[in-house]
Amino acid sequence: GTASAAYMAAARCSGAAAHGILHPMAAFELSKALRAVLCPAAPSSRAANPKAAPGRKRTKPDASDDWDDDRPHADTVWAAEAASDTRALVTSELSLLLQSVPLRAHPDVLASLVSALVAVATTDLATPKASSRAQSRAAVISAAPPHFDALALCLRIEHGDVARTAPLIFRALVPHMALDAAPASSTVPKELLAAQAACIDFVLLVAAHHPSAAAGGGAASAEETRSLLHSVQALLQRVSVAAPERAEARAQVCAALTRLVLSLPAPVAARFAQFLWRYGHTGKIG
């Protein structure tokens, strides 16, 4: 984790890019490290409670055992705090990197970072929490903004034209919006629905508040806005085609797409309706 933060800090140094620090292979390894640091595996019950290990019969401890008996718990708390601090450091350095280092000339690096950010944001939401019964849907989604905010930074003009960066980001969202990981059972886990909802919120936020959507931006901004909306339309079409056959999951996907379409400009909704009509009247092979 600290090595990843150090690498990203070094990449922000003046002249670092000219010395090859943004090599695609280095970025690929960074993306793997980001997944490992920001998406840690959920601890098992045995790891969370080492005293309950099977095959060992507890005996009544002596007075001298009190300090040793509390040590595993203290070590676990310290490790959790250290991991949290590392995740905060890595997230901060990643945001600073995307804010200060133009990646227009490094599309492979941007693609690796986008893939890692989508995996981090959606995995964190789709991982059942120990206290999930006590959490509301809003509380589950509230964990996403730091990583989705960093993902939105990838759409900055210094990282490339919106016509290229938006499809790159939106394609990575398709499996989560289409509920690819939904089980065969009739009930879709609420963690997957929370991840889907967070992706919809992200797309709506980008479509409404991207700099290209600001009034008075001129012809260049108008072109970027059209490119962004075309990318959103392509996202709608991909998610529609990828919707699962199971009725419960398909209904959830339809509801999510409806929410997205109702918030988009009328021309985009009209083109999507035309796509659905053509798709619905096309004979399926097999």
Side-chain angles (χ1 to χ4, degrees):
T2 53
S4 301
Y7 171 81
M8 290 185 286
R12 291 190 286 112
C13 296
S14 178
H19 290 82
I21 195 170
L22 294 176
H23 191 279
M25 287 304 298
F28 176 70
E29 293 299 326
L30 174 63
S31 70
K32 294 196 298 184
L34 292 176
R35 288 178 172 87
V37 173
L38 301 178
C39 297
S44 64
S45 58
R46 185 181 303 179
N49 185 17
K51 299 178 184 180
R56 296 183 59 186
K57 185 176 181 180
R58 291 283 297 172
T59 58
K60 185 176 181 180
D62 297 330
S64 60
D65 292 339
D66 290 343
W67 184 83
D68 290 333
D69 189 57
D70 292 337
R71 186 173 180 180
H73 174 69
D75 289 346
T76 301
V77 172
W78 179 87
E81 291 177 350
S84 178
D85 292 342
T86 300
R87 287 194 291 272
L89 173 64
V90 170
T91 300
S92 175
E93 286 295 336
L94 179 56
S95 295
L96 291 173
L97 174 69
L98 292 171
Q99 291 175 31
S100 58
V101 179
L103 297 177
R104 176 181 287 270
H106 306 279
D108 293 335
V109 175
L110 182 65
S112 294
L113 293 180
V114 166
S115 176
L117 281 169
V118 171
V120 167
T122 53
T123 300
D124 185 55
L125 287 168
T127 300
K129 306 296 189 296
S131 57
S132 58
R133 290 184 178 179
Q135 288 182 319
S136 64
R137 176 177 175 273
V140 174
I141 294 178
S142 66
H147 302 135
F148 276 107
D149 285 347
L151 190 62
L153 293 174
C154 296
L155 284 168
R156 292 165 66 110
I157 192 62
E158 54 264 39
H159 299 319
D161 296 332
V162 173
R164 181 177 62 85
T165 56
L168 175 69
I169 293 173
F170 290 160
R171 277 197 300 269
L173 300 178
V174 170
H176 309 285
M177 293 177 60
L179 298 176
D180 277 3
S185 60
S186 59
T187 302
V188 180
K190 64 180 181 180
E191 292 83 10
L192 296 183
L193 295 178
Q196 181 194 57
C199 290
I200 296 291
D201 291 338
F202 170 75
V203 175
L204 290 174
L205 183 66
V206 167
H209 299 289
H210 189 268
S212 65
S221 292
E223 180 61 31
E224 288 185 1
T225 300
R226 283 194 294 270
S227 298
L228 181 62
L229 293 178
H230 286 161
S231 297
V232 173
Q233 181 180 341
L235 172 66
L236 291 168
Q237 295 176 3
R238 287 191 174 96
V239 175
S240 299
V241 174
E245 295 291 339
R246 297 179 298 278
E248 170 80 10
R250 180 177 285 269
Q252 295 290 350
V253 172
C254 291
L257 292 179
T258 300
R259 175 175 165 242
L260 181 55
V261 169
L262 290 176
S263 301
L264 293 174
V268 178
R271 287 194 295 268
F272 180 57
Q274 293 173 0
F275 164 80
L276 290 179
W277 188 92
R278 290 194 302 268
Y279 183 66
H281 289 78
T282 301
K284 296 183 179 179
I285 300 175

